[in-house]
């Protein structure tokens, strides 16, 4: 795996970035373990976050320098094709769209399509704009090597989305009804077969998830025990924490449907009596810890919701130290920005919304990397 990883929300119109200094291709983001998206309201952060979560095909290709060169060259053809002889060829449109249907599982077809593109460019003496020596076999061999070295698990494993509508308390008495998840589906993710309770995390199902683990195999119970120990360490001042999917009656004589928690020697109590910030910490860490032995991507809206600044920092330390996942956040919290100075696993991207030069009724969204840019405080209203 190379030193840098890249990612992009495919087919998202109107966004451009300034991350790739090697090729100047403006539709790619450098990513690290913790990725913060900042900017004013309506700057396009959440939309971009959701598109990153939604897209699956061919993402690992962006880690290939050769692939980014080719993408950048194609974009220039589209923007300014009048002086390029390729545009008059009947296969021009096929060339421009040739990698649009690539999927990570079919590496053989990816290599073949790449070679076809090189051969096509060579027919019109355009290859030198990409590869100075015009050597197609050498370019192909380099591309294959990059693909083999840059396959990263984040681009293959299941992704998870945590919307701003989340919480551990049920908002309906109906069994197996999850309004927060359904709201996210209705607003953002229309295909329930791809986007559902398996990858949209809201905290509503935690009661049932705990029951499954605590009534399951020994290793499942041990995993919950380990999670409780980490909760204690990071969020409860090392006081013993026990999570209980209580099945008795609540204070009003109704069947219980919420997680109970026991701290130290105190009596257990319903989770809704716990501070909102600590509830958020549990919602935001449970799924990540349960899947800690694999590498996934988590897309999280405003992790600082209801949290004290110190707790938000602890949340980020939890993510870095106790899991191997990659995280993408939209945030308005200036307290997270100092982490870029403390860890080389943190990157900050600033989103700016600007009127389109050609059509002022439309907008362009510019993304700037700004890890050390103190002007970003102004972007957060500080």
């Amino acid at each position: 795996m190379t030193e840098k990883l890249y990612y992009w929300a495919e087919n998202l119109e109107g966004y451009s970035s300034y991350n790739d200094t090697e090729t100047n291709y403006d539709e790619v983001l450098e990513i690290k373990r913790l990725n913060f998206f900042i900017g004013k309201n309506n700057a396009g952060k959440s939309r971009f976050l959701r598109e990153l979560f939604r897209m699956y095909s061919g993402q690992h290709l962006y880690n290939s320098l050769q692939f980014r060169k080719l993408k950048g060259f194609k974009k220039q053809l589209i923007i300014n094709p009048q002086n390029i002889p390729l545009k008059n060829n009947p296969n021009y449109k096929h060339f421009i769209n040739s990698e649009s249907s690539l999927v990570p599982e079919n590496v053989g077809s990816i290599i073949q399509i790449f070679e076809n593109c090189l051969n096509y460019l060579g027919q019109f003496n355009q290859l030198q704009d990409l590869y100075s020596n015009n050597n197609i076999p050498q370019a192909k061999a380099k591309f294959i090597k990059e693909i083999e070295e840059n396959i990263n698990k984040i681009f293959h494993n299941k992704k998870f989305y945590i919307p701003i509508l989340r919480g551990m308390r049920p908002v309906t008495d109906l069994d197996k009804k999850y309004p927060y998840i359904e709201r996210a589906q209705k607003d953002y993710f229309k295909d329930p077969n791809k986007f559902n309770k398996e990858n949209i995390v809201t905290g509503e199902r935690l009661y049932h998830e705990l029951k499954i683990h605590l009534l399951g195999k020994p290793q499942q119970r041990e995993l919950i025990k380990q999670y409780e120990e980490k909760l204690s360490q990071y969020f409860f001042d090392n006081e013993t924490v026990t999570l209980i999917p209580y099945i008795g009656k609540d204070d009003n004589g109704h069947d219980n449907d919420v997680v109970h928690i026991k701290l130290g020697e105190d009596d257990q109590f319903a989770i809704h009596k716990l501070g909102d910030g600590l509830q958020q910490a549990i919602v935001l860490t449970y799924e990540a810890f349960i899947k800690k032995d694999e590498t996934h991507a988590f897309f999280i809206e405003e992790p600082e919701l209801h949290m004290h600044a110190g707790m938000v920092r602890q949340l980020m330390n939890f993510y870095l130290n106790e899991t191997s996942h990659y995280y993408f956040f939209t945030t308005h919290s200036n307290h997270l920005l100092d982490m870029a100075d403390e860890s080389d696993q943190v990157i900050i991207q600033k989103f700016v919304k600007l009127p389109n030069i050609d059509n002022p009724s439309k907008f362009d969204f510019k993304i700037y990397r700004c890890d050390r840019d103190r002007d970003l405080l102004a972007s957060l209203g500080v």
Side-chain angles (χ1 to χ4, degrees):
M1 188 172 66
T2 59
E3 195 171 307
K4 293 182 179 180
L5 291 176
Y6 291 96
Y7 205 42
W8 189 250
E10 300 159 10
N11 302 318
L12 188 61
E13 295 293 331
Y15 283 77
S16 59
S17 76
Y18 300 87
N19 278 210
D20 186 7
T21 56
E22 292 176 290
T23 68
N24 292 320
Y25 178 49
D26 64 357
E27 291 186 3
V28 69
L29 280 184
E30 183 180 348
I31 65 169
K32 296 189 177 183
R33 290 283 313 285
L34 302 184
N35 302 272
F36 298 118
F37 297 163
I38 70 167
K40 296 179 180 179
N41 291 92
N42 204 33
K45 305 181 300 296
S46 296
R47 179 182 171 213
F48 192 85
L49 183 84
R50 289 189 287 268
E51 289 300 323
L52 283 180
F53 167 66
R54 187 182 284 113
M55 296 303 173
Y56 279 87
S57 61
Q59 287 286 6
H60 70 282
L61 289 170
Y62 290 109
N63 293 323
S64 164
L65 177 62
Q66 311 302 308
F67 181 76
R68 298 198 309 277
K69 280 184 178 181
L70 184 61
K71 291 282 283 186
F73 184 74
K74 286 185 175 186
K75 185 166 185 179
Q76 289 305 312
L77 290 182
I78 295 171
I79 293 172
N80 186 24
Q82 61 268 24
N83 297 321
I84 305 295
L86 278 70
K87 75 160 194 166
N88 297 318
N89 186 281
N91 293 320
Y92 171 72
K93 287 186 177 180
H94 175 71
F95 165 71
I96 290 297
N97 299 317
S98 56
E99 84 282 354
S100 60
S101 61
L102 295 179
V103 292
E105 292 76 16
N106 196 350
V107 175
S109 70
I110 292 171
I111 295 169
Q112 186 59 55
I113 289 172
F114 183 78
E115 184 177 25
N116 291 344
C117 288
L118 297 183
N119 288 327
Y120 185 69
L121 289 170
Q123 294 174 20
F124 297 92
N125 296 317
Q126 296 296 320
L127 191 59
Q128 68 272 14
D129 291 339
L130 277 170
Y131 309 102
S132 57
N133 61 4
N134 259 358
N135 191 322
I136 292 177
Q138 187 181 74
K140 177 185 174 183
K142 192 170 184 179
F143 177 68
I144 293 172
K145 186 172 185 289
E146 287 180 350
I147 292 298
E148 291 174 346
E149 291 179 349
N150 287 284
I151 298 294
N152 186 277
K153 288 183 286 186
I154 181 183
F155 303 111
H156 296 277
N157 289 347
K158 182 189 292 186
K159 303 176 183 180
F160 298 91
Y161 174 72
I162 304 182
I164 199 166
L165 278 178
R166 55 182 182 256
M168 295 178 65
R169 290 177 289 171
V171 293
T172 177
D173 291 331
L174 298 177
D175 190 33
K176 297 182 180 179
K177 191 78 170 173
Y178 308 111
Y180 290 158
I181 293 175
E182 292 174 8
R183 187 74 251 178
Q185 289 174 310
K186 185 175 182 179
D187 291 342
Y188 309 129
F189 312 113
K190 304 301 182 184
D191 188 345
N193 295 317
K194 289 184 178 179
F195 308 105
N196 49 49
K197 60 184 175 64
E198 299 301 322
N199 54 13
I200 301 175
V201 179
T202 61
E204 295 170 281
R205 301 186 69 247
L206 189 55
Y207 178 86
H208 303 285
E209 290 285 335
L210 281 171
K211 279 206 301 187
I212 290 171
H213 276 80
L214 291 174
L215 296 176
K217 296 179 180 180
Q219 55 266 37
Q220 290 176 294
R221 296 193 293 273
E222 177 62 26
L223 189 59
I224 297 300
K225 181 180 178 182
Q226 293 174 12
Y227 175 60
E228 292 169 336
E229 291 172 351
K230 294 303 178 183
L231 281 180
S232 170
Q233 176 184 339
Y234 282 87
F235 304 108
F236 290 91
D237 297 323
N238 292 313
E239 193 170 22
T240 303
V241 176
T242 307
L243 297 176
I244 307 158
Y246 183 57
I247 58 175
K249 302 288 184 181
D250 62 20
D251 294 339
N252 298 316
H254 301 133
D255 290 335
N256 184 73
D257 59 357
V258 298
V259 175
H260 280 221
I261 187 168
K262 179 175 171 59
L263 302 177
E265 298 301 320
D266 295 342
D267 292 337
Q268 72 182 57
F269 54 90
I271 200 73
H272 55 74
K273 296 181 181 178
L274 187 67
D276 289 330
L278 289 168
Q279 291 182 53
Q280 288 289 318
I282 295 172
V283 172
L284 293 171
T285 56
Y286 176 80
E287 198 74 40
F289 188 85
I290 293 300
K291 293 177 168 56
K292 65 183 176 65
D293 294 331
E294 298 177 331
T295 301
H296 297 274
F298 282 77
F299 302 83
I300 303 174
E301 292 188 34
E302 300 190 28
E304 68 270 19
L305 194 65
H306 299 305
M307 283 194 186
H308 179 273
M311 187 181 293
V312 179
R313 294 289 296 275
Q314 282 294 81
L315 174 65
M316 298 304 148
N317 289 329
F318 180 99
Y319 285 150
L320 283 176
N321 299 333
E322 307 301 336
T323 75
S324 60
H325 311 308
Y326 288 72
Y327 299 89
F328 301 83
F329 311 98
T330 59
T331 181
H332 291 283
S333 172
N334 59 299
H335 301 292
L336 292 173
L337 304 185
D338 287 340
M339 295 200 70
D341 292 323
E342 300 169 10
S343 172
D344 60 2
Q345 293 300 304
V346 175
I347 192 167
I348 302 170
Q349 308 279 0
K350 181 170 71 172
F351 285 63
V352 179
K353 181 180 180 181
L354 300 170
N356 183 280
I357 296 175
D358 299 322
N359 186 349
S361 65
K362 295 184 178 181
F363 294 92
D364 292 325
F365 299 92
K366 307 293 185 181
I367 308 173
Y368 303 89
R369 177 175 173 177
C370 55
D371 299 13
R372 303 295 188 267
D373 181 4
R374 292 305 166 187
D375 289 342
L376 57 80
L377 290 174
S379 298
L380 297 172
V382 179

